[in-house]
Amino acid sequence: MPMLGYGLFKVDPKESERCVRDALSVGYRMIDTAQFYANEEQVGKAVAESGIPREELFIITKVWMNHGDEKGAAASIEESLRRLKTDYADLILVHQPYGDYYGIYRALEKAYAQGKTRAIGLSNFYDARFADLVYHTDVKPAVDQLETNVFSQQNAMREQLAEIDARLMAWGPMGQGKYDFFTHPVLTAIGEKYGKTASQVGLRFLVQQGIPVIPKSTSITRMEENMKIFDFILSEADMEILRGLNIHDKGSRDYNDPAYAKKIVSQVF
Ligand SMILES: NC(=O)c1ccc[n+]([C@@H]2O[C@H](COP(=O)([O-])OP(=O)(O)OC[C@H]3O[C@@H](n4cnc5c(N)ncnc54)[C@H](OP(=O)(O)O)[C@@H]3O)[C@@H](O)[C@H]2O)c1
C-alpha cells in the first residue's frame, strides 16, 4: 500500500473525473473513493483512460450500509467493480460501523477469497465494535481508516490495531481544514524551518510514523503541494511539539453518540 493517496470525499461527481486525471498526472497512484461518494464511475473512467497499468495503481472503495444483508452487499461490490472498470479492488472497507456490518464484512471476506479485492478492512470502527468484529471474523481487517491528523492522533486505536497487526490509515489528514489547519501557528512555524507549508508538515507528521494519508484537493497545485512530503524529515523535537497538538485523540466525531448514528444512518444518496 502506498503511503500517499488521493481522496475523493465531497468532490462533486461533475469534477471527479478531472480531479482523478489531475491527481494521476502529478503522480498519485492510490485513489480512495466510496459508494457513498457517488464518484466511482468517474474514478473508473479517469483510471481507464490514463493508460497507467492496473498493477501500478492502488484502488480503495468502501461499502455503504444501504444494501440490507450480506447478499445485497455482495451485489453492491460487483456494482462498484463495474463502475470502477476493474476486475479487482486493492482494498475494500466497511464504511461505517452501523447497519448490518457483519453481513457486509462476510461479503468482503468472500470477495477477498474470490480475488475481487486484494485486501479488506474497516473504517470508523472503534473500541468494542472493532474488537467484537475482529473476534468474529476469519480474515482479519488489514486496515482501519480513521479520522487522523495532528489534532486527532488515534494513539488509543493504534494500540488496538497493533494487536492484530492492522494498519491505521488517515482520513481527514489535514483535519478537513478545521482549527485553522492551513494557517495554524505551530504548523506554520515548524514549516518555515524546512521551507514547507502547514499541510506538508501535518501530512509528514503522519507518514513519518508509517501512517498512510489520503489528502483531498480539487486544485492540481494543492495536489502537488500535498505530495511533496518525502523530501524532508521532521526532527524528534518537532515531532514532540506536534504530538502536543492532540486535542481529541479518537477524532472529532463520537460514533457511540446516538444523535451522530441517527445522522449517518439516515443519509441517502
Ligand atoms: N472513511 C471515512 O469515513 C472518510 C471520511 C472523510 C474522508 N475520507 C477520505 O479521506 C480523504 C481526505 O479527507 P477529507 O477530504 O475529509 O479532508 P482533508 O483531506 O483533511 O482536507 C480537505 C480540505 O482541505 C483543502 N486543502 C487540501 N489541500 C490543501 C492545501 N495544500 N492548502 C489549503 N487547503 C487545502 C481542500 O480544499 P480544496 O479541494 O479546495 O483544495 C479541502 O477543503 C477524503 O477525500 C476521503 O477519501 C474518509
Side-chain angles (χ1 to χ4, degrees):
M1 180 164 66
M3 289 302 292
L4 173 79
Y6 176 68
L8 279 141
F9 180 44
K10 289 196 176 158
V11 178
D12 189 319
K14 290 194 203 88
E15 274 219 280
S16 300
E17 195 185 322
R18 188 272 300 164
C19 284
V20 176
R21 246 195 335 262
D22 284 353
L24 294 172
S25 77
V26 297
Y28 286 83
R29 289 295 177 267
M30 179 158 76
I31 306 289
D32 181 78
T33 182
Q35 295 173 348
F36 182 70
Y37 303 169
N39 50 31
E40 288 176 316
E41 193 102 46
Q42 291 80 352
V43 170
K45 192 156 185 280
V47 163
E49 287 174 7
S50 72
I52 297 168
R54 176 66 186 86
E55 61 275 14
E56 287 179 22
L57 296 161
F58 195 101
I59 298 175
I60 307 170
T61 194
K62 314 182 193 81
V63 178
W64 198 247
M65 69 200 82
N66 59 332
H67 311 293
D69 54 7
E70 177 183 333
K71 210 170 145 209
S76 86
I77 291 168
E78 296 294 338
E79 276 300 294
S80 284
L81 295 178
R82 184 193 60 73
R83 286 191 290 267
L84 289 165
K85 298 194 199 322
T86 183
D87 297 334
Y88 67 95
D90 293 279
L91 176 63
I92 307 183
L93 307 175
V94 183
H95 201 150
Q96 300 286 357
Y98 303 130
D100 181 11
Y101 49 84
Y102 279 92
I104 299 174
Y105 201 85
R106 300 271 174 260
L108 291 188
E109 286 182 323
K110 285 196 183 138
Y112 176 69
Q114 293 163 349
K116 290 176 186 166
T117 184
R118 292 175 64 217
I120 63 176
L122 304 171
S123 174
N124 304 314
F125 277 72
Y126 287 87
D127 306 327
R129 271 193 184 142
F130 179 86
D132 183 49
L133 188 127
V134 165
Y135 188 81
H136 289 101
T137 52
D138 295 327
V139 181
K140 299 294 168 231
V143 164
D144 194 4
Q145 190 184 100
L146 301 174
E147 180 185 358
T148 311
N149 49 63
V150 287
F151 308 120
S152 296
Q153 298 184 16
Q154 299 292 355
N155 293 318
M157 279 309 294
R158 285 191 217 190
E159 284 179 28
Q160 226 183 319
L161 288 161
E163 282 173 24
I164 60 155
D165 204 18
R167 204 67 181 268
L168 169 63
M169 178 183 278
W171 72 249
M174 299 170 296
Q176 302 181 312
K178 286 179 203 145
Y179 307 104
D180 296 327
F181 186 95
F182 300 107
T183 52
H184 192 280
V186 175
L187 295 176
T188 310
I190 291 180
E192 274 166 15
K193 290 201 247 173
Y194 301 87
K196 292 287 175 181
T197 62
S199 63
Q200 290 165 335
V201 169
L203 294 170
R204 175 72 206 179
F205 174 69
L206 299 175
V207 299
Q208 197 161 311
Q209 299 173 79
I211 302 170
V213 294
I214 43 172
K216 170 259 175 187
S217 180
T218 50
S219 140
I220 192 166
T221 312
R222 291 193 285 277
M223 287 177 199
E224 283 187 295
E225 176 186 338
N226 297 340
M227 287 188 76
K228 292 180 186 156
I229 54 173
F230 299 105
D231 58 354
F232 73 114
I233 297 170
L234 292 164
S235 70
E236 185 44 36
D238 288 332
M239 289 293 283
E240 194 53 32
I241 293 169
L242 293 167
R243 279 184 208 111
L245 297 182
N246 201 12
I247 302 171
H248 28 59
D249 188 56
K250 286 185 178 162
S252 60
R253 293 156 174 81
D254 178 0
Y255 287 84
N256 287 317
D257 175 1
Y260 184 70
K262 274 189 213 162
K263 184 177 146 196
I264 295 294
V265 300
S266 61
Q267 308 240 23
V268 283
F269 63 98

